[in-house]
Amino acid sequence: MPKRLGLNLTDDTHTQIKQRADAAGISVNAWILAAIERETFRQLCQETNAWWAERPELAERETRDYFKRANGDRDSSAA
């Protein structure tokens, strides 16, 4: 028997999740896990953006270096 998530959801919330899971063609548990993964990734992106915002000189240098590498790779592949 599969493990059940121990969540106390209101009937309305459960209905909304069930509808979204059905529309996606996945189980409620899979939908909830995917939602948690999406939220975790969103938070990671937010923290990363804040980290770079605190280091504008580094961000500018890394961006400039990236474009140099990207353009260099493109030029060398054309030869």
Side-chain angles (χ1 to χ4, degrees), residues 4-78:
R4 295 177 52 107
L5 294 175
L7 299 174
N8 294 321
L9 303 173
T10 64
D11 290 341
D12 183 52
T13 300
H14 185 270
T15 299
Q16 290 177 31
I17 292 172
K18 174 98 172 83
Q19 289 172 347
R20 291 175 186 254
D22 289 345
I26 59 176
S27 70
V28 169
N29 285 356
W31 190 92
I32 290 171
L33 291 175
I36 291 168
E37 289 172 349
R38 286 189 305 272
E39 177 59 17
T40 300
F41 183 72
R42 186 198 65 77
Q43 289 177 13
L44 175 64
C45 291
Q46 186 175 12
E47 291 166 7
T48 301
N49 285 342
W51 189 89
W52 282 110
E54 294 169 1
R55 297 158 180 83
E57 296 85 16
L58 179 60
E60 184 178 329
R61 186 174 67 239
E62 289 295 326
T63 301
R64 187 175 52 249
D65 291 348
Y66 167 79
F67 282 111
K68 283 181 184 176
R69 287 190 310 273
N71 289 331
D73 287 345
R74 195 176 312 132
D75 291 340
S76 64
S77 64

